[in-house]
mmCIF file of all heavy atoms in Angstrom:
data_model
loop_
_atom_site.group_PDB
_atom_site.id
_atom_site.type_symbol
_atom_site.label_atom_id
_atom_site.label_comp_id
_atom_site.label_asym_id
_atom_site.label_seq_id
_atom_site.Cartn_x
_atom_site.Cartn_y
_atom_site.Cartn_z
ATOM 1 N N MET A 1 4.769 0.991 -18.622
ATOM 2 C CA MET A 1 5.784 0.777 -17.579
ATOM 3 C C MET A 1 5.100 0.586 -16.239
ATOM 4 O O MET A 1 4.187 1.316 -15.884
ATOM 5 C CB MET A 1 6.718 2.000 -17.501
ATOM 6 C CG MET A 1 7.606 2.131 -18.700
ATOM 7 S SD MET A 1 9.029 1.038 -18.597
ATOM 8 C CE MET A 1 10.251 2.113 -17.871
ATOM 9 N N LEU A 2 5.612 -0.359 -15.497
ATOM 10 C CA LEU A 2 5.088 -0.590 -14.161
ATOM 11 C C LEU A 2 6.172 -0.328 -13.132
ATOM 12 O O LEU A 2 7.342 -0.547 -13.375
ATOM 13 C CB LEU A 2 4.607 -2.037 -14.018
ATOM 14 C CG LEU A 2 3.378 -2.420 -14.819
ATOM 15 C CD1 LEU A 2 3.073 -3.889 -14.604
ATOM 16 C CD2 LEU A 2 2.174 -1.595 -14.415
ATOM 17 N N ARG A 3 5.730 0.127 -11.987
ATOM 18 C CA ARG A 3 6.696 0.304 -10.910
ATOM 19 C C ARG A 3 6.166 -0.430 -9.703
ATOM 20 O O ARG A 3 4.958 -0.479 -9.468
ATOM 21 C CB ARG A 3 6.898 1.803 -10.682
ATOM 22 C CG ARG A 3 6.486 2.366 -9.383
ATOM 23 C CD ARG A 3 6.520 3.884 -9.496
ATOM 24 N NE ARG A 3 5.233 4.426 -9.075
ATOM 25 C CZ ARG A 3 4.996 4.795 -7.802
ATOM 26 N NH1 ARG A 3 5.901 4.685 -6.905
ATOM 27 N NH2 ARG A 3 3.819 5.255 -7.464
ATOM 28 N N LYS A 4 7.065 -0.975 -8.948
ATOM 29 C CA LYS A 4 6.657 -1.760 -7.794
ATOM 30 C C LYS A 4 6.548 -0.864 -6.573
ATOM 31 O O LYS A 4 7.408 -0.026 -6.337
ATOM 32 C CB LYS A 4 7.697 -2.854 -7.532
ATOM 33 C CG LYS A 4 7.070 -4.220 -7.364
ATOM 34 C CD LYS A 4 8.143 -5.249 -7.122
ATOM 35 C CE LYS A 4 7.542 -6.647 -7.241
ATOM 36 N NZ LYS A 4 8.559 -7.664 -7.025
ATOM 37 N N ALA A 5 5.495 -1.059 -5.826
ATOM 38 C CA ALA A 5 5.314 -0.279 -4.605
ATOM 39 C C ALA A 5 4.817 -1.197 -3.507
ATOM 40 O O ALA A 5 4.090 -2.153 -3.749
ATOM 41 C CB ALA A 5 4.312 0.843 -4.844
ATOM 42 N N GLY A 6 5.216 -0.909 -2.303
ATOM 43 C CA GLY A 6 4.725 -1.659 -1.160
ATOM 44 C C GLY A 6 3.591 -0.909 -0.496
ATOM 45 O O GLY A 6 3.513 0.314 -0.589
ATOM 46 N N LEU A 7 2.737 -1.654 0.170
ATOM 47 C CA LEU A 7 1.683 -1.016 0.946
ATOM 48 C C LEU A 7 1.897 -1.354 2.412
ATOM 49 O O LEU A 7 1.985 -2.524 2.784
ATOM 50 C CB LEU A 7 0.309 -1.514 0.501
ATOM 51 C CG LEU A 7 -0.211 -0.987 -0.822
ATOM 52 C CD1 LEU A 7 -1.580 -1.605 -1.102
ATOM 53 C CD2 LEU A 7 -0.315 0.524 -0.813
ATOM 54 N N ALA A 8 1.979 -0.324 3.237
ATOM 55 C CA ALA A 8 2.201 -0.526 4.657
ATOM 56 C C ALA A 8 0.982 -0.077 5.448
ATOM 57 O O ALA A 8 0.372 0.948 5.157
ATOM 58 C CB ALA A 8 3.422 0.258 5.114
ATOM 59 N N CYS A 9 0.665 -0.863 6.459
ATOM 60 C CA CYS A 9 -0.433 -0.530 7.368
ATOM 61 C C CYS A 9 -0.112 0.777 8.086
ATOM 62 O O CYS A 9 0.984 0.947 8.619
ATOM 63 C CB CYS A 9 -0.599 -1.678 8.360
ATOM 64 S SG CYS A 9 -1.788 -1.339 9.647
ATOM 65 N N THR A 10 -1.063 1.685 8.119
ATOM 66 C CA THR A 10 -0.825 2.967 8.791
ATOM 67 C C THR A 10 -0.973 2.840 10.298
ATOM 68 O O THR A 10 -0.624 3.751 11.038
ATOM 69 C CB THR A 10 -1.809 4.038 8.281
ATOM 70 O OG1 THR A 10 -3.139 3.570 8.458
ATOM 71 C CG2 THR A 10 -1.568 4.332 6.812
ATOM 72 N N VAL A 11 -1.508 1.724 10.766
ATOM 73 C CA VAL A 11 -1.702 1.537 12.203
ATOM 74 C C VAL A 11 -0.452 0.932 12.839
ATOM 75 O O VAL A 11 0.084 1.451 13.804
ATOM 76 C CB VAL A 11 -2.938 0.658 12.475
ATOM 77 C CG1 VAL A 11 -3.102 0.402 13.969
ATOM 78 C CG2 VAL A 11 -4.184 1.324 11.897
ATOM 79 N N CYS A 12 0.041 -0.176 12.285
ATOM 80 C CA CYS A 12 1.174 -0.869 12.901
ATOM 81 C C CYS A 12 2.444 -0.778 12.060
ATOM 82 O O CYS A 12 3.514 -1.129 12.529
ATOM 83 C CB CYS A 12 0.821 -2.328 13.147
ATOM 84 S SG CYS A 12 0.652 -3.286 11.646
ATOM 85 N N GLY A 13 2.348 -0.321 10.835
ATOM 86 C CA GLY A 13 3.533 -0.141 10.010
ATOM 87 C C GLY A 13 3.991 -1.367 9.258
ATOM 88 O O GLY A 13 5.007 -1.326 8.572
ATOM 89 N N SER A 14 3.263 -2.473 9.369
ATOM 90 C CA SER A 14 3.648 -3.694 8.662
ATOM 91 C C SER A 14 3.459 -3.541 7.167
ATOM 92 O O SER A 14 2.463 -2.962 6.711
ATOM 93 C CB SER A 14 2.790 -4.871 9.133
ATOM 94 O OG SER A 14 3.097 -5.196 10.455
ATOM 95 N N ARG A 15 4.409 -4.075 6.418
ATOM 96 C CA ARG A 15 4.250 -4.095 4.966
ATOM 97 C C ARG A 15 3.558 -5.385 4.574
ATOM 98 O O ARG A 15 4.131 -6.459 4.667
ATOM 99 C CB ARG A 15 5.607 -4.033 4.292
ATOM 100 C CG ARG A 15 6.239 -2.682 4.427
ATOM 101 C CD ARG A 15 7.397 -2.569 3.488
ATOM 102 N NE ARG A 15 8.115 -1.310 3.719
ATOM 103 C CZ ARG A 15 9.087 -0.880 2.925
ATOM 104 N NH1 ARG A 15 9.458 -1.600 1.894
ATOM 105 N NH2 ARG A 15 9.677 0.252 3.179
ATOM 106 N N ASN A 16 2.328 -5.249 4.135
ATOM 107 C CA ASN A 16 1.512 -6.437 3.894
ATOM 108 C C ASN A 16 1.304 -6.745 2.427
ATOM 109 O O ASN A 16 0.995 -7.875 2.073
ATOM 110 C CB ASN A 16 0.146 -6.250 4.552
ATOM 111 C CG ASN A 16 0.277 -5.986 6.049
ATOM 112 O OD1 ASN A 16 1.019 -6.662 6.732
ATOM 113 N ND2 ASN A 16 -0.428 -4.993 6.532
ATOM 114 N N TYR A 17 1.439 -5.787 1.577
ATOM 115 C CA TYR A 17 1.110 -5.984 0.167
ATOM 116 C C TYR A 17 2.119 -5.294 -0.736
ATOM 117 O O TYR A 17 2.765 -4.328 -0.343
ATOM 118 C CB TYR A 17 -0.279 -5.409 -0.151
ATOM 119 C CG TYR A 17 -1.388 -6.032 0.651
ATOM 120 C CD1 TYR A 17 -1.817 -5.452 1.826
ATOM 121 C CD2 TYR A 17 -1.985 -7.213 0.222
ATOM 122 C CE1 TYR A 17 -2.821 -6.026 2.588
ATOM 123 C CE2 TYR A 17 -2.986 -7.795 0.970
ATOM 124 C CZ TYR A 17 -3.407 -7.200 2.140
ATOM 125 O OH TYR A 17 -4.395 -7.773 2.885
ATOM 126 N N THR A 18 2.213 -5.809 -1.947
ATOM 127 C CA THR A 18 2.959 -5.101 -2.970
ATOM 128 C C THR A 18 2.040 -4.877 -4.155
ATOM 129 O O THR A 18 1.129 -5.651 -4.415
ATOM 130 C CB THR A 18 4.193 -5.898 -3.436
ATOM 131 O OG1 THR A 18 3.774 -7.197 -3.836
ATOM 132 C CG2 THR A 18 5.218 -5.998 -2.331
ATOM 133 N N LEU A 19 2.299 -3.808 -4.862
ATOM 134 C CA LEU A 19 1.476 -3.450 -6.005
ATOM 135 C C LEU A 19 2.360 -3.181 -7.206
ATOM 136 O O LEU A 19 3.503 -2.749 -7.067
ATOM 137 C CB LEU A 19 0.713 -2.153 -5.732
ATOM 138 C CG LEU A 19 -0.453 -2.151 -4.772
ATOM 139 C CD1 LEU A 19 -1.013 -0.744 -4.696
ATOM 140 C CD2 LEU A 19 -1.519 -3.104 -5.219
ATOM 141 N N ASN A 20 1.818 -3.397 -8.373
ATOM 142 C CA ASN A 20 2.432 -2.886 -9.583
ATOM 143 C C ASN A 20 1.605 -1.706 -10.067
ATOM 144 O O ASN A 20 0.448 -1.855 -10.417
ATOM 145 C CB ASN A 20 2.481 -3.968 -10.662
ATOM 146 C CG ASN A 20 3.551 -4.981 -10.363
ATOM 147 O OD1 ASN A 20 4.652 -4.626 -9.951
ATOM 148 N ND2 ASN A 20 3.241 -6.246 -10.553
ATOM 149 N N LEU A 21 2.209 -0.548 -10.033
ATOM 150 C CA LEU A 21 1.479 0.654 -10.414
ATOM 151 C C LEU A 21 1.854 1.071 -11.821
ATOM 152 O O LEU A 21 3.021 1.031 -12.204
ATOM 153 C CB LEU A 21 1.821 1.786 -9.452
ATOM 154 C CG LEU A 21 1.458 1.545 -7.992
ATOM 155 C CD1 LEU A 21 1.963 2.697 -7.139
ATOM 156 C CD2 LEU A 21 -0.032 1.396 -7.832
ATOM 157 N N SER A 22 0.880 1.522 -12.543
ATOM 158 C CA SER A 22 1.158 2.035 -13.876
ATOM 159 C C SER A 22 1.792 3.414 -13.766
ATOM 160 O O SER A 22 1.655 4.100 -12.755
ATOM 161 C CB SER A 22 -0.130 2.123 -14.687
ATOM 162 O OG SER A 22 -0.926 3.153 -14.185
ATOM 163 N N SER A 23 2.472 3.843 -14.782
ATOM 164 C CA SER A 23 3.149 5.136 -14.763
ATOM 165 C C SER A 23 2.160 6.287 -14.639
ATOM 166 O O SER A 23 2.515 7.382 -14.240
ATOM 167 C CB SER A 23 3.995 5.307 -16.012
ATOM 168 O OG SER A 23 3.191 5.167 -17.148
ATOM 169 N N VAL A 24 0.926 6.021 -14.981
ATOM 170 C CA VAL A 24 -0.107 7.050 -14.874
ATOM 171 C C VAL A 24 -0.260 7.522 -13.434
ATOM 172 O O VAL A 24 -0.484 8.681 -13.166
ATOM 173 C CB VAL A 24 -1.459 6.500 -15.394
ATOM 174 C CG1 VAL A 24 -2.563 7.540 -15.215
ATOM 175 C CG2 VAL A 24 -1.342 6.093 -16.851
ATOM 176 N N ALA A 25 -0.079 6.583 -12.501
ATOM 177 C CA ALA A 25 -0.319 6.888 -11.092
ATOM 178 C C ALA A 25 0.957 7.276 -10.360
ATOM 179 O O ALA A 25 0.965 7.335 -9.154
ATOM 180 C CB ALA A 25 -0.961 5.680 -10.422
ATOM 181 N N LYS A 26 2.019 7.541 -11.089
ATOM 182 C CA LYS A 26 3.317 7.666 -10.422
ATOM 183 C C LYS A 26 3.422 8.874 -9.508
ATOM 184 O O LYS A 26 4.230 8.887 -8.599
ATOM 185 C CB LYS A 26 4.447 7.686 -11.439
ATOM 186 C CG LYS A 26 4.543 8.964 -12.243
ATOM 187 C CD LYS A 26 5.731 8.886 -13.187
ATOM 188 C CE LYS A 26 5.757 10.105 -14.101
ATOM 189 N NZ LYS A 26 6.806 9.987 -15.105
ATOM 190 N N GLU A 27 2.619 9.891 -9.744
ATOM 191 C CA GLU A 27 2.695 11.073 -8.884
ATOM 192 C C GLU A 27 1.797 10.961 -7.659
ATOM 193 O O GLU A 27 1.829 11.796 -6.777
ATOM 194 C CB GLU A 27 2.311 12.329 -9.670
ATOM 195 C CG GLU A 27 3.244 12.645 -10.808
ATOM 196 C CD GLU A 27 4.680 12.875 -10.323
ATOM 197 O OE1 GLU A 27 4.847 13.394 -9.211
ATOM 198 O OE2 GLU A 27 5.613 12.512 -11.054
ATOM 199 N N LYS A 28 1.009 9.918 -7.654
ATOM 200 C CA LYS A 28 0.042 9.787 -6.564
ATOM 201 C C LYS A 28 0.527 8.806 -5.515
ATOM 202 O O LYS A 28 1.099 7.772 -5.829
ATOM 203 C CB LYS A 28 -1.311 9.310 -7.099
ATOM 204 C CG LYS A 28 -2.178 10.422 -7.585
ATOM 205 C CD LYS A 28 -3.606 9.920 -7.769
ATOM 206 C CE LYS A 28 -4.529 11.058 -8.179
ATOM 207 N NZ LYS A 28 -5.898 10.573 -8.395
ATOM 208 N N ARG A 29 0.252 9.126 -4.276
ATOM 209 C CA ARG A 29 0.468 8.193 -3.184
ATOM 210 C C ARG A 29 -0.809 7.383 -2.992
ATOM 211 O O ARG A 29 -1.868 7.937 -2.712
ATOM 212 C CB ARG A 29 0.791 8.945 -1.898
ATOM 213 C CG ARG A 29 2.211 9.412 -1.846
ATOM 214 C CD ARG A 29 2.939 8.638 -0.795
ATOM 215 N NE ARG A 29 4.330 8.451 -1.128
ATOM 216 C CZ ARG A 29 5.215 7.949 -0.258
ATOM 217 N NH1 ARG A 29 4.846 7.620 0.948
ATOM 218 N NH2 ARG A 29 6.444 7.763 -0.616
ATOM 219 N N VAL A 30 -0.640 6.081 -3.149
ATOM 220 C CA VAL A 30 -1.815 5.221 -3.096
ATOM 221 C C VAL A 30 -2.220 4.955 -1.647
ATOM 222 O O VAL A 30 -1.377 4.695 -0.803
ATOM 223 C CB VAL A 30 -1.526 3.900 -3.819
ATOM 224 C CG1 VAL A 30 -2.741 2.986 -3.779
ATOM 225 C CG2 VAL A 30 -1.098 4.165 -5.250
ATOM 226 N N GLU A 31 -3.502 5.039 -1.405
ATOM 227 C CA GLU A 31 -4.044 4.672 -0.097
ATOM 228 C C GLU A 31 -5.201 3.712 -0.305
ATOM 229 O O GLU A 31 -6.150 4.022 -1.012
ATOM 230 C CB GLU A 31 -4.547 5.903 0.651
ATOM 231 C CG GLU A 31 -3.454 6.894 0.995
ATOM 232 C CD GLU A 31 -4.002 8.059 1.805
ATOM 233 O OE1 GLU A 31 -5.171 7.982 2.238
ATOM 234 O OE2 GLU A 31 -3.270 9.026 1.980
ATOM 235 N N VAL A 32 -5.106 2.554 0.310
ATOM 236 C CA VAL A 32 -6.125 1.530 0.124
ATOM 237 C C VAL A 32 -6.489 0.920 1.469
ATOM 238 O O VAL A 32 -5.633 0.747 2.334
ATOM 239 C CB VAL A 32 -5.631 0.388 -0.796
ATOM 240 C CG1 VAL A 32 -6.817 -0.315 -1.435
ATOM 241 C CG2 VAL A 32 -4.665 0.889 -1.847
ATOM 242 N N LYS A 33 -7.750 0.585 1.603
ATOM 243 C CA LYS A 33 -8.158 -0.172 2.783
ATOM 244 C C LYS A 33 -7.942 -1.645 2.520
ATOM 245 O O LYS A 33 -8.501 -2.214 1.586
ATOM 246 C CB LYS A 33 -9.630 0.112 3.096
ATOM 247 C CG LYS A 33 -9.812 1.208 4.103
ATOM 248 C CD LYS A 33 -11.003 0.938 4.997
ATOM 249 C CE LYS A 33 -10.850 1.664 6.332
ATOM 250 N NZ LYS A 33 -11.968 1.339 7.242
ATOM 251 N N LYS A 34 -7.099 -2.266 3.349
ATOM 252 C CA LYS A 34 -6.779 -3.678 3.187
ATOM 253 C C LYS A 34 -6.765 -4.343 4.546
ATOM 254 O O LYS A 34 -6.622 -3.694 5.581
ATOM 255 C CB LYS A 34 -5.389 -3.827 2.549
ATOM 256 C CG LYS A 34 -5.329 -3.349 1.119
ATOM 257 C CD LYS A 34 -5.179 -4.526 0.222
ATOM 258 C CE LYS A 34 -4.936 -4.121 -1.216
ATOM 259 N NZ LYS A 34 -5.224 -5.246 -2.109
ATOM 260 N N PHE A 35 -6.843 -5.684 4.491
ATOM 261 C CA PHE A 35 -6.793 -6.439 5.726
ATOM 262 C C PHE A 35 -5.362 -6.554 6.223
ATOM 263 O O PHE A 35 -4.470 -6.943 5.472
ATOM 264 C CB PHE A 35 -7.393 -7.834 5.527
ATOM 265 C CG PHE A 35 -7.473 -8.620 6.805
ATOM 266 C CD1 PHE A 35 -8.511 -8.392 7.698
ATOM 267 C CD2 PHE A 35 -6.513 -9.560 7.117
ATOM 268 C CE1 PHE A 35 -8.594 -9.105 8.887
ATOM 269 C CE2 PHE A 35 -6.587 -10.280 8.308
ATOM 270 C CZ PHE A 35 -7.622 -10.046 9.191
ATOM 271 N N CYS A 36 -5.131 -6.212 7.471
ATOM 272 C CA CYS A 36 -3.816 -6.342 8.085
ATOM 273 C C CYS A 36 -3.841 -7.523 9.048
ATOM 274 O O CYS A 36 -4.651 -7.562 9.964
ATOM 275 C CB CYS A 36 -3.457 -5.060 8.825
ATOM 276 S SG CYS A 36 -1.885 -5.188 9.703
ATOM 277 N N ARG A 37 -2.933 -8.466 8.821
ATOM 278 C CA ARG A 37 -2.889 -9.654 9.678
ATOM 279 C C ARG A 37 -2.415 -9.302 11.083
ATOM 280 O O ARG A 37 -2.814 -9.920 12.058
ATOM 281 C CB ARG A 37 -1.940 -10.700 9.081
ATOM 282 C CG ARG A 37 -2.632 -11.625 8.108
ATOM 283 C CD ARG A 37 -1.680 -12.711 7.672
ATOM 284 N NE ARG A 37 -0.490 -12.129 7.054
ATOM 285 C CZ ARG A 37 0.593 -12.822 6.754
ATOM 286 N NH1 ARG A 37 0.636 -14.114 7.015
ATOM 287 N NH2 ARG A 37 1.627 -12.246 6.191
ATOM 288 N N THR A 38 -1.512 -8.323 11.159
ATOM 289 C CA THR A 38 -0.971 -7.939 12.459
ATOM 290 C C THR A 38 -2.045 -7.279 13.329
ATOM 291 O O THR A 38 -2.161 -7.569 14.518
ATOM 292 C CB THR A 38 0.214 -6.981 12.268
ATOM 293 O OG1 THR A 38 1.121 -7.556 11.321
ATOM 294 C CG2 THR A 38 0.935 -6.742 13.578
ATOM 295 N N CYS A 39 -2.827 -6.412 12.711
ATOM 296 C CA CYS A 39 -3.901 -5.743 13.441
ATOM 297 C C CYS A 39 -5.142 -6.623 13.566
ATOM 298 O O CYS A 39 -5.953 -6.437 14.458
ATOM 299 C CB CYS A 39 -4.295 -4.440 12.738
ATOM 300 S SG CYS A 39 -2.970 -3.212 12.700
ATOM 301 N N GLY A 40 -5.290 -7.560 12.646
ATOM 302 C CA GLY A 40 -6.450 -8.448 12.665
ATOM 303 C C GLY A 40 -7.714 -7.787 12.162
ATOM 304 O O GLY A 40 -8.821 -8.209 12.475
ATOM 305 N N LYS A 41 -7.561 -6.726 11.385
ATOM 306 C CA LYS A 41 -8.728 -6.036 10.849
ATOM 307 C C LYS A 41 -8.333 -5.238 9.622
ATOM 308 O O LYS A 41 -7.148 -5.132 9.300
ATOM 309 C CB LYS A 41 -9.322 -5.102 11.908
ATOM 310 C CG LYS A 41 -8.321 -4.038 12.346
ATOM 311 C CD LYS A 41 -8.915 -3.111 13.395
ATOM 312 C CE LYS A 41 -7.910 -2.055 13.813
ATOM 313 N NZ LYS A 41 -8.469 -1.157 14.826
ATOM 314 N N HIS A 42 -9.331 -4.660 8.974
ATOM 315 C CA HIS A 42 -9.055 -3.809 7.834
ATOM 316 C C HIS A 42 -8.559 -2.447 8.301
ATOM 317 O O HIS A 42 -9.163 -1.825 9.169
ATOM 318 C CB HIS A 42 -10.318 -3.645 6.980
ATOM 319 C CG HIS A 42 -10.577 -4.801 6.079
ATOM 320 N ND1 HIS A 42 -11.177 -5.966 6.521
ATOM 321 C CD2 HIS A 42 -10.288 -4.997 4.770
ATOM 322 C CE1 HIS A 42 -11.250 -6.800 5.510
ATOM 323 N NE2 HIS A 42 -10.729 -6.259 4.423
ATOM 324 N N THR A 43 -7.456 -2.025 7.730
ATOM 325 C CA THR A 43 -6.896 -0.728 8.066
ATOM 326 C C THR A 43 -6.493 -0.021 6.783
ATOM 327 O O THR A 43 -6.432 -0.632 5.710
ATOM 328 C CB THR A 43 -5.643 -0.877 8.952
ATOM 329 O OG1 THR A 43 -4.647 -1.597 8.235
ATOM 330 C CG2 THR A 43 -5.971 -1.586 10.266
ATOM 331 N N LEU A 44 -6.175 1.239 6.905
ATOM 332 C CA LEU A 44 -5.702 2.002 5.753
ATOM 333 C C LEU A 44 -4.243 1.687 5.503
ATOM 334 O O LEU A 44 -3.425 1.723 6.415
ATOM 335 C CB LEU A 44 -5.892 3.493 6.025
ATOM 336 C CG LEU A 44 -5.681 4.415 4.818
ATOM 337 C CD1 LEU A 44 -6.765 4.164 3.772
ATOM 338 C CD2 LEU A 44 -5.715 5.863 5.255
ATOM 339 N N HIS A 45 -3.939 1.357 4.274
ATOM 340 C CA HIS A 45 -2.554 1.066 3.874
ATOM 341 C C HIS A 45 -2.074 2.136 2.921
ATOM 342 O O HIS A 45 -2.774 2.508 1.984
ATOM 343 C CB HIS A 45 -2.469 -0.305 3.201
ATOM 344 C CG HIS A 45 -2.588 -1.447 4.167
ATOM 345 N ND1 HIS A 45 -3.737 -1.730 4.848
ATOM 346 C CD2 HIS A 45 -1.676 -2.365 4.557
ATOM 347 C CE1 HIS A 45 -3.521 -2.775 5.615
ATOM 348 N NE2 HIS A 45 -2.287 -3.191 5.467
ATOM 349 N N LYS A 46 -0.853 2.588 3.151
ATOM 350 C CA LYS A 46 -0.274 3.618 2.291
ATOM 351 C C LYS A 46 0.942 3.078 1.566
ATOM 352 O O LYS A 46 1.661 2.215 2.075
ATOM 353 C CB LYS A 46 0.135 4.831 3.127
ATOM 354 C CG LYS A 46 -1.055 5.697 3.489
ATOM 355 C CD LYS A 46 -0.592 7.010 4.064
ATOM 356 C CE LYS A 46 -1.777 7.877 4.440
ATOM 357 N NZ LYS A 46 -1.371 9.151 5.028
ATOM 358 N N GLU A 47 1.177 3.674 0.432
ATOM 359 C CA GLU A 47 2.321 3.271 -0.385
ATOM 360 C C GLU A 47 3.650 3.591 0.314
ATOM 361 O O GLU A 47 3.812 4.656 0.900
ATOM 362 C CB GLU A 47 2.242 4.011 -1.709
ATOM 363 C CG GLU A 47 3.371 3.665 -2.644
ATOM 364 C CD GLU A 47 3.404 4.636 -3.803
ATOM 365 O OE1 GLU A 47 2.411 5.315 -4.063
ATOM 366 O OE2 GLU A 47 4.452 4.691 -4.461
ATOM 367 N N THR A 48 4.563 2.642 0.215
ATOM 368 C CA THR A 48 5.921 2.872 0.704
ATOM 369 C C THR A 48 6.891 2.607 -0.424
ATOM 370 O O THR A 48 6.506 2.163 -1.493
ATOM 371 C CB THR A 48 6.259 1.940 1.877
ATOM 372 O OG1 THR A 48 6.210 0.608 1.407
ATOM 373 C CG2 THR A 48 5.313 2.138 3.024
ATOM 374 N N ARG A 49 8.165 2.857 -0.176
ATOM 375 C CA ARG A 49 9.156 2.582 -1.213
ATOM 376 C C ARG A 49 10.179 1.570 -0.744
ATOM 377 O O ARG A 49 10.396 1.438 0.427
ATOM 378 C CB ARG A 49 9.868 3.860 -1.616
ATOM 379 C CG ARG A 49 9.713 4.056 -3.108
ATOM 380 C CD ARG A 49 10.314 5.350 -3.538
ATOM 381 N NE ARG A 49 9.328 6.411 -3.411
ATOM 382 C CZ ARG A 49 9.551 7.654 -3.859
ATOM 383 N NH1 ARG A 49 10.663 7.962 -4.412
ATOM 384 N NH2 ARG A 49 8.613 8.562 -3.743
HETATM 385 ZN ZN1 ZN B 1 -1.604 -3.246 10.923
#
């Protein structure tokens, strides 16, 4: 089973990415370093709903 999750920039709050997470990770809040177009640099992105 997959669940859809959004990733939002922790700096500006923009939702830049979506992920399909496996059920294995369902209890975890994902944090990934990704490029944010709004900030113009790599920032930490956290899972949103
Ligand atoms: Zn940003």
Side-chain angles (χ1 to χ4, degrees):
M1 290 280 266
L2 292 178
R3 116 191 127 92
K4 230 180 192 179
L7 285 179
C9 174
T10 56
V11 177
C12 69
S14 292
R15 289 193 186 188
N16 302 314
Y17 300 94
T18 54
L19 287 180
N20 285 318
L21 299 175
S22 71
S23 57
V24 177
K26 72 178 174 186
E27 297 300 327
K28 274 194 176 178
R29 281 249 148 171
V30 180
E31 296 183 10
V32 204
K33 266 215 156 183
K34 292 251 187 198
F35 185 80
C36 176
R37 272 186 302 170
T38 310
C39 296
K41 61 180 180 180
H42 280 81
T43 62
L44 191 66
H45 286 67
K46 282 191 181 179
E47 180 192 342
T48 63
R49 236 176 273 187

